[in-house]
Amino acid sequence: MTETLTGAPTVRAPAAAPTLTGPGLLTVLLAAALPLVDFFIVNVALPAIGADLHASEAVLELVVAGYGVTYAVLLVLGGRLGDLFGRRRLFLAGMAAFGLTSLACGLAPGAWSLVAARAAQGAAAAMMLPQVLATIQATTAGGRRARAMSLYGATAGLSMVIGQILGGVLVAADIAGTGWRSIFLVNVPVVVLGLVLAVRRVPDTRSRHPEPVDVPGTVLLAVALLALLAPLTEGRATGWPLWTWLSLAACPVAAWAFYAVERRADRRGQTPLLPPSLFAAPSLRRGLLIIVPFSLGFSGFMFVIALSLQQGAGLGPVAAGLALAPMAVAFLLVSLAGPRLIARFGTRVVATGSVLQGLGILLIALAVWGDWPHLGLGTLLPGAAVAGAGQALQLPNLMRIVLAEVPSARAGVGGGVLTTTQQASLALGVATLGALFLSLIPRLGMRDALLAALATQLGAILVTGLLSLRLPREVG
């Protein structure tokens, strides 16, 4: 309140709430795509990386796992830091760090330096990505939020498939003799463009009542996730030494300690890293339960199919990547209709997506059974297209459902919980389904090992379909 020259008080109008414009939304969606593209882009490049850097299978798995584990472990912390220091600031810092670590990956002189750079790249992604969801939650409402969340989900799903296709194209193109290194170097100009747009177009938001970082919760969550993901990703390649079993045994202990610490902080009125009270919302709790088997099966499938098409069917990286192009096209087209379908039919759209995805995977399995090893774009097209359509009805809508009841003040925490669940499940899918596939090859051959992996994914799809029947019928 201020006074005029006559002494009469005047009331200053409150500052207008920040609004995310179209260019701003495009900028944050670009940032959302980068981490997921880079999770999958290495799948088709692993043979070239191994040959060039003389890397063993265990080290190559670390190239994938080092990124995925640090990314998953630090995502919730990234969301909390955005609430505390400002989401735009963390977004810019994370994007800049992602560009620098991508450059380090592209220039890595050896296998272990590449592993270290990939781990740092995952940490940068964990700083950047939670700010995307938090910014959308804090700067949109009503129909605009629904459309923005649908676009976010569509971007996430499309990025997973595009990453694998782009990886094959870049490796084969061998731009300026860079070979596999171009899959990382291509991020640098994209990041520069993103930073320029973000400075101008992304509004600054933060929590009105930021809480300090929950150090005990952060440490215990990191220990629990590392204790689970590290042995599962490295166990098979290293022969399951004693440390892997000790680590797996420590995981439930660390998880229980984490829950106890977080529950106690929540009851005291503090804001823990992952508030148990957040899970009181049925949409968040049930949506996350579905995202786990969906992401686990999807990432495992992408890893397994990339190896099968190159090492079993004898396709080059471009042909192996393009074989999944129908999946990307179908996902894009169907995801655009997601908001209208949800508005008309409610969450039963997600269950329908599970049925379609299962049918697509079954068609792919039939193609493998009948045409092996003569697989390619033509033989995989029907199954890939149907599976992509089914995935488009699930993932974008699930992400919207999970965050539907999360208040704006907890946008960073809610976004961190969602992305952590998704990323940990993606890493777990590569570790478990990938390990199953590779362990079965010596005994069954690659075709039957692939069929076993596809059958396992069908089981995960069945779980998602059954769980989706328990979703709240309407979406806020």
Side-chain angles (χ1 to χ4, degrees):
M1 183 176 294
T2 60
E3 291 188 357
T4 65
L5 292 175
T6 62
T10 60
V11 178
R12 180 177 297 170
T19 301
L20 189 65
T21 62
L25 178 61
L26 178 64
T27 303
V28 296
L29 291 179
L30 174 66
L34 283 173
L36 286 169
V37 166
D38 270 59
F39 184 88
F40 288 93
I41 201 169
V42 300
N43 282 349
V44 293
L46 286 176
I49 294 173
D52 186 37
L53 300 182
H54 308 289
S56 66
E57 184 179 314
V59 175
L60 287 177
E61 289 190 4
L62 278 176
V63 171
V64 178
Y67 177 84
V69 171
T70 55
Y71 186 20
V73 164
L74 297 175
L75 272 166
V76 177
L77 177 60
R80 172 60 58 83
L81 291 175
D83 288 349
L84 186 61
F85 296 111
R87 291 155 189 153
R88 183 170 176 268
R89 180 182 298 178
L90 265 291
F91 180 82
L92 291 170
M95 180 172 277
F98 191 85
L100 291 173
T101 52
S102 296
L103 181 62
C105 290
L107 300 178
W112 286 107
S113 59
L114 177 59
V115 170
R118 281 284 283 173
Q121 190 187 33
M127 189 188 309
M128 174 177 63
L129 187 64
Q131 318 317 324
V132 174
L133 278 171
T135 298
I136 291 174
Q137 289 287 98
T139 58
T140 60
R144 291 186 68 250
R145 178 180 293 180
R147 287 189 293 274
M149 284 304 304
S150 295
L151 286 172
Y152 175 87
T155 300
L158 195 60
S159 299
M160 298 179 195
V161 183
I162 291 296
Q164 205 137 306
I165 297 172
L166 183 62
V169 171
L170 288 174
V171 170
D174 193 21
I175 302 170
T178 55
W180 61 267
R181 297 178 187 275
S182 61
I183 69 173
F184 302 114
L185 296 176
V186 72
N187 290 335
V188 177
V190 176
V191 164
V192 171
L193 174 63
L195 288 171
V196 172
L197 290 173
V199 168
R200 298 180 178 181
R201 300 295 186 177
V202 176
D204 191 16
T205 64
R206 69 179 68 206
S207 176
R208 294 181 180 179
H209 306 286
E211 295 283 344
V213 173
D214 175 14
V215 176
T218 301
V219 172
L220 286 170
L221 177 62
V223 170
L225 288 173
L226 283 170
L228 174 66
L229 295 176
L232 288 178
T233 53
E234 284 298 293
R236 189 199 62 82
T238 56
W240 296 102
L242 178 61
W243 73 264
T244 59
W245 299 107
L246 293 176
S247 182
L248 288 172
C251 177
V253 178
W256 178 87
F258 171 71
Y259 174 73
V261 167
E262 299 300 276
R263 183 178 59 179
R264 184 173 59 197
D266 210 13
R267 287 177 173 175
R268 290 178 176 176
Q270 300 168 343
T271 304
L273 184 72
L274 202 164
S277 59
L278 199 66
F279 290 85
S283 59
L284 182 139
R285 186 174 64 250
R286 295 171 185 173
L288 288 179
L289 280 176
I290 301 172
I291 282 178
V292 170
F294 176 88
S295 300
L296 192 151
F298 184 79
S299 65
F301 166 79
M302 297 296 285
F303 178 78
V304 165
I305 200 70
L307 290 180
S308 298
L309 292 177
Q310 289 188 89
Q311 299 181 4
L315 299 182
V318 174
L322 290 179
L324 297 178
M327 182 177 288
V329 173
F331 190 102
L332 175 63
L333 295 177
V334 175
S335 63
L336 294 176
R340 294 193 299 275
L341 293 173
I342 280 285
R344 183 173 181 181
F345 300 107
T347 57
R348 292 297 179 263
V349 170
V350 178
T352 303
S354 298
V355 174
L356 281 177
Q357 186 191 10
L359 177 60
I361 295 301
L362 182 60
L363 289 173
I364 291 174
L366 291 174
V368 171
W369 176 268
D371 298 319
W372 183 267
H374 306 293
L375 298 179
L377 176 62
T379 52
L380 296 179
L381 189 151
V386 174
Q391 291 157 359
L393 292 178
Q394 294 175 85
L395 185 60
N397 295 318
L398 281 173
M399 289 185 165
R400 178 181 165 190
I401 290 166
V402 167
L403 296 177
E405 297 177 291
V406 175
S408 295
R410 285 184 161 182
V413 178
V417 171
L418 170 59
T419 48
T420 296
T421 302
Q422 182 191 27
Q423 184 57 40
S425 301
L426 290 174
L428 193 60
V430 173
T432 53
L433 202 59
L436 172 68
F437 170 69
L438 292 171
S439 65
L440 290 177
I441 289 175
R443 286 183 291 164
L444 302 180
M446 189 164 289
R447 187 198 74 162
D448 290 348
L450 175 57
L451 289 172
L454 293 174
T456 304
Q457 190 191 0
L458 281 172
I461 293 170
L462 176 62
V463 172
T464 65
L466 293 175
L467 289 175
S468 66
L469 298 177
R470 300 191 67 247
L471 287 171
R473 186 62 185 268
E474 303 296 329
V475 182

